[in-house]
Amino acid sequence: MDVLGMDTLDIARWQFGITTVYHFLMVPLTIGLGILVAVMHTMWVRTDKPEWLRMTRFWGRIYLINFVLGVATGLVQEFQFGLAWSEYSRFVGDVFGSLLALEALLAFFLESTFLGLWIFGWGRIPKRLHLAALWAAVIGSIVSAYFIIAANSWMQHPVGVTVGEDGRPVHTDFLAVLTNNTALAAFSHAIVAALMVAGALLVGIGLWHLRRRKLAGQPATDVDHAVWRRSVRLGGWVSLAAFVLTALTGDWQGKLMYEQQPLKMSSAEALCETEAPASFSIFAWGKLGNNECDDVHSLTVPYVLSYLAHGDFSTAVPGVNELQEEYAAVYGETYPDDPSFGDKAGEPIDYTPLLAVTYWSFRLMIGMGAVSAGVAAYALWSTRRGRVPTSRIGVYGSLLAVGAPFVANAAGWIFTEMGRQPFVVHPNPDVPVEDQVWFFTAQAVSPGISAAEVWTSLIALTVVYAALAIVELWLIGRFVRAGVTTGDGSPTPEPPDDGDGETPRRDDDVLQFAY
């Protein structure tokens, strides 16, 4: 059944894509900011300097707000597997069951339990034990991310399984799934990208507060000035280092993709015909949206794509047209004439993902990452030797650029997921064809579910997510404008230390931290 020209499969894909991208806007900030808040807290415990305490409390509030909204939106992803994608869940269940169970039972409970200790432990437990609770929560979020990425990477590069009698993958080597080279590359890339997100947030908000204080004539010698200056410097260095590491891990990931999913990477370059040596495309035009390779033209840099794909400047890189023929020869020119494929049954298979999406999302990812690195360099230069930037364009531009790494992360995931189509589980080219596991997206949607039902859930989720976005932005905006203060506008107090490493209990500590 079609609703507004879209069938059930298309609507279900839109729903999963929208909710997943929305959730993933919060994931990198939670991971990256959690690490930086733990570093701030560590520096306070080591130095006992009040600016590190105030930084921990201010940025910790932002971290907690984002964490709560991230959990709320992440739960929807689990429900969608059973509601809209039950055939997919049935197919991958033997592999995903263990990974998602570990993520929920081990990583998430580790994260939430110790985060609770950190929130309510101010003034109640020894400082070093309190710090350890935060690090345990942060490590829990990192471990949680690894299990999720390992599950996703298995879809990109299935390992550790055999094909069962019913055609479903059967788990044979759990360690192989955990050590999948695709997972290791994707995880390292995601973690450093998360640090770039957190660094950009520190830079943008820190510069804004420094400029505001400067224009208001506030002194550059008090603790609050040190809070924002240290935030900018820490965020700037973290962003620059993360950008370099993101490029290195991205290169590793790209070379693996050329081995495992060559059509995805050739589509990212709009490389229609095989080239040796291959050129890197800077800008492409033509009928990218229609996947008509005969009418796609590019402005290119010679030799670079061969190096990105293979590590040398001469090896051939296969084009989209050649790969389309190879895929059709191995996996079929048409979808099987089976009821599980719905309206797609018997139709020709286009193995080429949407060129416009893969091409431009790949460049948006790189471009927004470069913008973030440029802003970080500006922040470090403009605050050198105690300087405070007052340029309206520079400071407000840096504040707007907080969104750049968020866009880069979202674009990267869109490229990764849409570039895998028409497979929801892509075949592993490292094993013989008869032993390969793959699953078409067309057969993954729940049977019996109507387009109207999915439209209803899509609209409802969009409305709810929009409300949650308003709440999160309002809360974060409120705390950012208030600065390093308590809820009543007074400066954040530093709890006294009684000399034995334990901070005496203050009845208002938790309330001051939460509000």
Side-chain angles (χ1 to χ4, degrees):
M1 174 183 178
D2 288 349
V3 177
L4 300 180
M6 299 172 65
D7 60 19
T8 303
L9 175 62
D10 292 333
I11 304 168
R13 289 181 63 190
W14 270 104
Q15 175 177 283
F16 197 87
I18 291 171
T19 54
T20 301
V21 169
Y22 183 96
H23 172 63
F24 194 70
L25 291 175
M26 300 168 189
V27 171
L29 181 58
T30 297
I31 295 173
L33 192 56
I35 294 172
L36 295 189
V37 170
V39 170
M40 296 171 191
H41 197 160
T42 301
M43 292 303 297
W44 173 57
V45 171
R46 287 175 60 88
T47 67
D48 208 33
K49 291 183 177 180
E51 59 263 33
W52 287 114
L53 172 61
R54 295 191 184 188
M55 288 171 67
T56 302
R57 291 195 166 207
F58 175 82
W59 295 111
R61 292 185 181 107
I62 308 299
Y63 167 60
L64 290 176
I65 293 170
N66 194 75
F67 174 82
V68 171
L69 269 295
V71 171
T73 56
L75 291 174
V76 177
Q77 310 309 311
E78 306 283 348
F79 287 114
Q80 283 196 97
F81 287 138
L83 293 175
W85 301 96
S86 62
E87 289 301 311
Y88 161 81
S89 300
R90 186 176 293 110
F91 183 80
V92 302
D94 194 55
V95 179
F96 273 38
S98 54
L99 292 170
L100 296 183
L102 284 172
E103 189 271 337
L105 297 176
L106 177 62
F108 180 73
F109 279 110
L110 175 70
E111 185 180 9
S112 56
T113 299
F114 283 102
L115 193 58
L117 282 176
W118 185 61
I119 296 171
F120 296 102
W122 288 94
R124 290 174 170 80
I125 58 178
K127 288 169 64 174
R128 296 185 186 279
L129 187 59
H130 188 219
L131 172 62
L134 175 57
W135 274 112
V138 171
I139 291 171
S141 68
I142 295 173
V143 174
S144 176
Y146 187 80
F147 286 131
I148 295 299
I149 289 175
N152 180 272
S153 297
W154 184 86
M155 295 159 57
Q156 313 282 346
H157 184 231
V159 295
V161 295
T162 59
V163 180
E165 294 181 0
D166 58 355
R168 295 174 57 246
V170 178
H171 222 321
T172 59
D173 189 347
F174 183 63
L175 183 61
V177 175
L178 287 181
T179 59
N180 188 348
N181 57 4
T182 307
L184 296 174
F187 174 73
S188 61
H189 193 63
I191 294 299
V192 292
L195 287 171
M196 184 178 291
V197 169
L201 190 72
L202 266 64
V203 166
I205 294 175
L207 284 178
W208 182 75
H209 271 288
L210 282 177
R211 180 180 184 272
R212 189 171 70 160
R213 286 175 54 83
K214 177 78 171 179
L215 297 179
Q218 294 176 312
T221 56
D222 62 7
V223 175
D224 284 3
H225 178 84
V227 167
W228 301 120
R229 177 172 170 77
R230 287 187 185 274
S231 294
V232 171
R233 302 293 293 180
L234 175 62
W237 286 116
V238 167
S239 291
L240 281 182
F243 177 73
V244 173
L245 292 174
T246 300
L248 294 175
T249 55
D251 180 67
W252 177 22
Q253 197 173 13
K255 286 178 169 59
L256 283 177
M257 282 188 186
Y258 263 112
E259 295 176 7
Q260 299 165 0
Q261 299 181 36
L263 191 46
K264 176 192 291 187
M265 294 305 298
S266 293
S267 297
E269 291 300 315
L271 181 68
C272 294
E273 302 297 335
T274 302
E275 292 185 7
S279 302
F280 179 82
S281 175
I282 299 177
F283 184 84
W285 64 95
K287 296 184 179 179
L288 287 169
N290 296 329
N291 278 20
E292 295 184 15
C293 260
D294 293 337
D295 193 19
V296 173
H297 312 280
S298 295
L299 177 65
T300 62
V301 179
Y303 306 106
V304 174
L305 184 57
S306 288
Y307 179 80
L308 295 176
H310 304 291
D312 61 61
F313 293 97
S314 59
T315 303
V317 176
V320 167
N321 291 334
E322 177 184 332
L323 290 169
Q324 167 72 27
E325 294 177 0
E326 291 181 6
Y327 273 70
V330 175
Y331 305 110
E333 296 183 359
T334 61
Y335 288 110
D337 192 10
D338 187 283
S340 64
F341 286 87
D343 295 338
K344 300 288 186 181
E347 290 190 1
I349 304 175
D350 186 359
Y351 290 97
T352 305
L354 284 174
L355 294 178
V357 173
T358 52
Y359 184 88
W360 290 115
S361 61
F362 188 69
R363 276 144 190 80
L364 190 61
M365 174 184 65
I366 297 172
M368 290 295 101
V371 167
S372 183
V375 169
Y378 162 77
L380 292 173
W381 175 257
S382 63
T383 57
R384 71 194 186 283
R385 299 177 182 174
R387 290 176 171 83
V388 175
T390 56
S391 166
R392 185 179 182 89
I393 295 177
V395 172
Y396 278 88
S398 299
L399 191 59
L400 289 174
V402 167
F406 285 94
V407 174
N409 273 268
W413 275 107
I414 290 172
F415 164 69
T416 300
E417 298 308 301
M418 292 195 67
R420 190 179 63 245
Q421 299 303 318
F423 298 102
V424 68
V425 177
H426 194 280
N428 182 356
D430 296 335
V431 299
V433 174
E434 60 271 16
D435 296 326
Q436 288 181 4
V437 171
W438 72 83
F439 200 61
F440 287 109
T441 307
Q443 63 187 128
V445 72
S446 299
I449 190 170
S450 68
E453 289 171 329
V454 184
W455 262 117
T456 301
S457 63
L458 171 58
I459 293 171
L461 287 172
T462 301
V463 171
V464 171
Y465 276 18
L468 290 175
I470 293 172
V471 170
E472 178 171 19
L473 291 174
W474 178 81
L475 286 172
I476 292 177
R478 173 191 172 191
F479 286 120
V480 168
R481 287 190 298 272
V484 193
T485 60
T486 61
D488 61 3
S490 60
T492 306
E494 289 81 39
D497 196 323
D498 62 4
D500 64 358
E502 181 174 349
T503 302
R505 173 176 175 176
R506 294 174 54 100
D507 291 335
D508 60 350
D509 268 351
V510 174
L511 291 178
Q512 287 173 351
F513 183 73
Y515 298 103

